[in-house]
């Protein structure tokens, strides 16, 4: 109910638009986090984000490179 109410007010809508790359308000308000974009997917796809996530993307790249060094392909990485 709070998710639907939040989408009806201006600040909720603005926040949803700002965080849309992650899944918007659903990412933050729905506990099951279905189909939300994580930092690994954002990094692998080299997606643009509206806020600076350089420190997080750097860590994700290091993690991805370690997995690749251990013989995994990008298709093997789970990012959901």
């Amino acid at each position: 109910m709070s998710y639907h109410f939040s989408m009806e007010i201006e600040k909720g809508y603005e926040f949803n638009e700002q965080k849309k790359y992650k899944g918007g308000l659903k990412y933050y308000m729905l506990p099951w986090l279905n189909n939300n974009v994580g930092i690994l997917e954002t990094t692998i796809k080299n997606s643009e984000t509206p806020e600076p996530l350089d420190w997080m993307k750097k860590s994700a790249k290091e993690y991805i490179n370690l997995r690749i060094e251990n013989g995994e392909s990008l298709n093997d990485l789970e990012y959901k």
Side-chain angles (χ1 to χ4, degrees):
M1 188 76 157
S2 61
Y3 167 75
H4 294 289
F5 176 73
S6 296
M7 288 297 289
E8 295 297 319
I9 60 176
E10 183 179 349
K11 288 293 182 188
Y13 180 79
E14 289 173 4
F15 184 84
N16 185 60
E17 290 300 307
Q18 181 184 24
K19 303 293 185 176
K20 201 166 223 155
Y21 72 98
K22 278 183 141 176
L25 274 173
K26 285 183 181 180
Y27 179 84
Y28 292 95
M29 297 186 80
L30 300 180
W32 46 88
L33 301 176
N34 287 329
N35 299 317
N36 290 324
V37 178
I39 191 63
L40 291 180
E41 182 176 6
T42 301
T43 304
I44 289 169
K45 291 182 175 182
N46 199 26
S47 301
E48 290 294 320
T49 58
E51 48 190 344
L53 300 175
D54 297 337
W55 64 273
M56 198 181 293
K57 283 188 174 187
K58 180 181 177 193
S59 296
K61 285 177 185 176
E62 290 174 4
Y63 175 75
I64 291 165
N65 288 334
L66 285 172
R67 300 272 305 258
I68 290 171
E69 287 174 11
N70 286 319
E72 296 181 58
S73 73
L74 289 180
N75 294 331
D76 295 334
L77 294 176
E78 287 189 34
Y79 47 73
K80 284 193 176 182

